[in-house]
Amino acid sequence: MIAPYHLEREQKSAQLLDKLNDLTNWHIENCSDYKAMVEKSGALQQASSVEEVPYLPVQLFKLLDLKSISQEEVVKVLTSSGTTGQQVSKIYLDKETSVSQTKTLVEVMKPLLGSKRLPMIILDTKSVLKDRKSFSARGAGILGFSNFGRKHFYALNDDMSLDVKGLQAYLKEFAGQKILLFGFTFMIWQYVYKEAIARGLEIDFGDSILIHGGGWKKLKDEAVDALTFNRLLNQQLGIREVHNYYGMVEQVGSIFVECSMGHLHTPSYADVIIRNPITFKPVPYGEQGLIQVLSELPKSYPGHSLLTEDLGTIHGEDDCPCGWKGKYFSVAGRIPKAELRGCSDTFQGGTK
């Protein structure tokens, strides 16, 4: 496996483009819906740059069952988060794609976590993992990141209350050791931080590193940004190191991790492009637009190039002060729903 953050841009782009072109042709041959959409869009099947790789709007996975394998080859189905009654994305994984996803996640996180498994507290409830063949985005995230830990402890009870006694006993058992914490941003805020405040709990996670991801919308509604989130978790819970990540269930392998400077980075097997929300053409660095994510991993379904519903900005490439190579960017949040109306009708549009 190639080191995730140490390839110069020309080497990375050439390797990634070859693999993305191979995937485009694979999915055209094996997924009739994908073939029809690519042909309708007039996109190039053999792109000469990553910007020309055909992309699908991510919301299509809520409308269609898109897969490039037979039903017999499906070993796992991932579903996106959604409120009751809302349509969810269904992502079909075969063994090859599932194994690739796990291996890649290990390589992406190694610069932060090293290769040694750490005692791990999962800031969630164990009940989210009930069905081992069908996972929500939460369950898939927990299962993937649990590979980095040992002696897993779930900090929330099934009713989402904090298991204070169990948590304090765990922290006492591993006092003096580095502890890995994992959870989803809003749940950590709502069920751990706010609970500790409300009950006047004194919890010190000690020499801990928190990896968290998920939507920020509810926190932004409360005027909580990333710096405030990190500061308050340190004050109330003693969490010393915090790293956000950006990813989605619709594209396995696209985990963009926050570096020490607060930037999200593209690893060697994934990339991001920012497109104008109206014309869908790529915009210059420093300009905000819709985030397109690319990954060489999705082989069981046509998810290697997706246009998201998120707004973001690329700030630079290969020159982040943290020392990691690759593009580094930030995410501003979801595009307003009114501006999304045209996206679902555009299967590929920014390269014309």
Side-chain angles (χ1 to χ4, degrees):
M1 189 69 77
I2 303 165
Y5 301 113
H6 295 92
L7 286 183
E8 298 292 346
R9 68 184 72 179
E10 289 183 8
Q11 184 185 3
K12 172 185 171 178
S13 291
Q15 291 181 358
L16 184 60
L17 179 60
D18 286 345
K19 291 178 178 176
L20 291 171
N21 275 329
D22 288 345
L23 283 171
T24 296
N25 288 299
W26 163 263
H27 294 307
I28 285 172
E29 291 172 11
N30 293 281
C31 179
S32 58
D33 284 332
Y34 179 75
K35 179 181 180 180
M37 288 185 281
V38 171
E39 289 178 348
K40 182 180 178 182
S41 73
L44 298 173
Q45 293 185 27
Q46 195 68 21
S48 58
S49 69
V50 291
E51 287 80 10
E52 292 180 349
V53 175
Y55 56 79
L56 299 180
V58 72
Q59 60 265 41
L60 279 178
F61 290 90
K62 291 181 170 68
L63 306 174
L64 299 170
D65 278 347
L66 296 171
K67 57 178 180 286
S68 302
I69 54 174
S70 67
Q71 189 60 39
E72 291 71 32
E73 293 174 280
V74 175
V75 297
K76 194 182 297 181
V77 181
L78 307 181
T79 57
S80 60
S81 302
T83 55
T84 304
Q86 208 176 47
Q87 286 179 303
V88 297
S89 298
K90 284 187 178 182
I91 306 303
Y92 298 90
L93 302 185
D94 61 359
K95 187 175 181 181
E96 179 184 350
T97 305
S98 183
V99 168
S100 296
Q101 176 190 13
T102 301
K103 286 182 177 178
T104 302
L105 183 61
V106 169
E107 291 302 314
V108 167
M109 298 306 300
K110 196 175 283 185
L112 288 179
L113 302 178
S115 53
K116 185 180 178 183
R117 289 191 174 200
L118 302 172
M120 184 174 185
I121 297 173
I122 298 164
L123 302 169
D124 208 319
T125 171
K126 197 171 186 177
S127 61
V128 78
L129 298 179
K130 280 178 182 174
D131 187 347
R132 288 285 171 151
K133 284 195 173 182
S134 180
F135 283 108
S136 65
R138 267 172 62 200
I142 290 169
L143 198 68
F145 278 92
S146 64
N147 290 309
F148 302 102
R150 59 185 178 87
K151 293 280 287 185
H152 303 96
F153 172 74
Y154 288 80
L156 299 182
N157 298 309
D158 285 352
D159 63 357
M160 306 307 292
S161 62
L162 193 60
D163 181 0
V164 179
K165 285 188 178 180
L167 183 57
Q168 289 173 336
Y170 191 93
L171 292 171
K172 184 177 180 181
E173 181 181 352
F174 293 99
Q177 297 185 44
K178 192 174 189 72
I179 295 175
L180 171 61
L181 311 174
F182 174 78
F184 295 91
T185 310
F186 176 71
M187 295 186 64
I188 294 167
W189 178 257
Q190 186 70 30
Y191 300 112
V192 182
Y193 172 75
K194 279 191 166 183
E195 183 76 359
I197 292 286
R199 295 173 60 180
L201 300 174
E202 292 186 8
I203 302 171
D204 185 357
F205 283 93
D207 184 15
S208 55
I209 176 170
L210 169 64
I211 307 295
H212 71 100
W216 282 87
K217 185 181 183 303
K218 291 179 181 178
L219 272 75
K220 286 182 178 176
D221 290 345
E222 297 182 35
V224 178
D225 60 12
L227 288 175
T228 305
F229 181 82
N230 295 357
R231 176 174 55 81
L232 293 177
L233 260 60
N234 177 264
Q235 284 180 3
Q236 185 66 29
L237 304 172
I239 299 173
R240 300 176 191 178
E241 187 177 349
V242 180
H243 293 274
N244 183 28
Y245 73 87
Y246 174 66
M248 64 206 69
V249 74
E250 289 89 356
Q251 190 177 88
V252 295
S254 285
I255 296 290
F256 304 100
V257 182
E258 186 181 64
C259 71
S260 58
M261 304 304 296
H263 297 134
L264 298 163
H265 279 254
T266 59
S268 58
Y269 13 78
D271 204 355
V272 296
I273 296 166
I274 306 296
R275 294 187 180 272
N276 182 292
I278 307 300
T279 66
F280 299 103
K281 291 183 177 178
V283 301
Y285 290 2
E287 190 173 317
Q288 189 180 92
L290 278 174
I291 299 173
Q292 177 189 350
V293 291
L294 305 104
S295 169
E296 65 182 54
L297 296 180
K299 191 177 179 184
S300 57
Y301 69 100
H304 60 301
S305 179
L306 301 177
L307 190 67
T308 75
E309 300 174 350
D310 297 319
L311 291 169
T313 306
I314 296 173
H315 302 290
E317 186 169 1
D318 291 341
D319 58 1
C320 181
C322 77
W324 291 0
K325 299 295 184 185
K327 292 177 187 174
Y328 55 98
F329 67 104
S330 60
V331 179
R334 286 283 177 96
I335 191 170
K337 285 294 179 186
E339 295 179 38
L340 268 174
R341 288 174 188 161
C343 295
S344 60
D345 297 323
T346 306
F347 297 128
Q348 204 276 341
T351 61
K352 295 179 185 177

